[in-house]
Amino acid sequence: MPHPSRPPDADTHPSLELDTGGRDRVLGPGAMVLAGFARAIAPDLIAMVDMVARTAPFRRMSTPSGRTMSVAMTNCGTAGWVSDTKGYRYDPMDPLSGHPWPALPALFADLAARAASRAGFSEFHPDACLINRYEPGTRLTLHQDRDEHDFSQPIVSVSLGLPAIFLWGGPARSDRVRRVPLEHGDVVVWGGPARLVHHGIHPLTEGMHPLTGRARLNLTFRRAM
Ligand code: MD3
Ligand code: FE
């Protein structure tokens, strides 16, 4: 028997699910917050990030216009997102080492697939995990994620450590921007009509978190290639 708040086509249009009963919330068409979904495994996720960063250290990349991003980044998976004066791309190699990025830990792949499935996207098999590290004052200006091959695949994001205000716009850069608070352990799934929205992160507020210190980590799982 269908859930009373669940329209009949909620399986094909996950955003139409009106109420998940818990703290989960639909942000809009295609975008869903799974509040605290990763909280229980957060210490393990953070330990894995530390392991990845021993092989592929966090670094601040250059933009094509020659500026340095304030967010520090690294990657794991068979492809990693890189930015330099030549442009943005997914690359199987870490340009710092000349070696492949560290493999995607099974814990990461499993979490991403479970979250996507819960939001209505079955068979999500990410090949790339971009790991962003923010310190107080660090921001990410409004942008679209459009370097991936197939926009029908969702992106799954996991927030760890210090809280942040996520800026969530629309398909056009001039669209109204909403502010969405994201906390430690929150997972957001973005797909369908939300896949190409403009988004960013408001400058991080000063703070200290027991598991990450003066930092916020964000994992974004993507099907890049
Ligand atoms: C909506 N990261 O890595 S996560 C990024 O918190 C990025 O580090 C932010 O934007 C962060 O590209 C935001 C939420 C997110 C990630 C990717 C999206 C939202 C998205 C792609 C399409 C639409
Ligand atoms: Fe993004």
Side-chain angles (χ1 to χ4, degrees), residues 140 143-145 155 199-200 220 222:
L140 189 62
H143 66 278
Q144 291 172 296
D145 288 24
I155 289 184
H199 59 277
T220 48
R222 299 131 187 277

Side-chain angles (χ1 to χ4, degrees), residues 130 132 134 143 145 166 190 194-195 199 201 216 218 222:
L130 171 62
N132 295 332
Y134 299 77
H143 66 278
D145 288 24
F166 178 69
W190 313 87
R195 180 61 183 77
H199 59 277
I201 293 288
R216 169 177 186 262
N218 183 263
R222 299 131 187 277

Side-chain angles (χ1 to χ4, degrees), residues 52-61 72-75 94 96-97 101-102 133:
V52 167
R54 278 200 286 275
T55 306
F58 282 99
R59 80 291 305 262
R60 291 171 61 196
M61 299 185 192
M73 300 175 165
T74 186
N75 292 275
D94 177 354
L96 269 189
S97 67
W101 297 102
R133 191 183 65 203

Side-chain angles (χ1 to χ4, degrees), residues 117-201:
S117 161
R118 176 124 183 209
F121 298 93
S122 60
E123 299 297 325
F124 179 53
H125 302 294
D127 56 5
C129 174
L130 171 62
I131 308 174
N132 295 332
R133 191 183 65 203
Y134 299 77
E135 284 168 17
T138 302
R139 65 194 295 236
L140 189 62
T141 53
L142 277 190
H143 66 278
Q144 291 172 296
D145 288 24
R146 46 187 316 157
D147 300 315
E148 301 74 25
H149 183 72
D150 178 3
F151 298 142
S152 74
Q153 294 277 331
I155 289 184
V156 173
S157 88
V158 180
S159 293
L160 298 167
L162 289 179
I165 295 172
F166 178 69
L167 304 173
W168 183 44
R173 210 177 194 287
S174 55
D175 287 339
R176 186 177 67 94
V177 175
R178 275 173 61 186
R179 296 164 162 245
V180 179
L182 290 180
E183 283 179 30
H184 176 71
D186 286 353
V187 175
V188 192
V189 181
W190 313 87
R195 180 61 183 77
L196 289 174
V197 300
H198 287 77
H199 59 277
I201 293 288

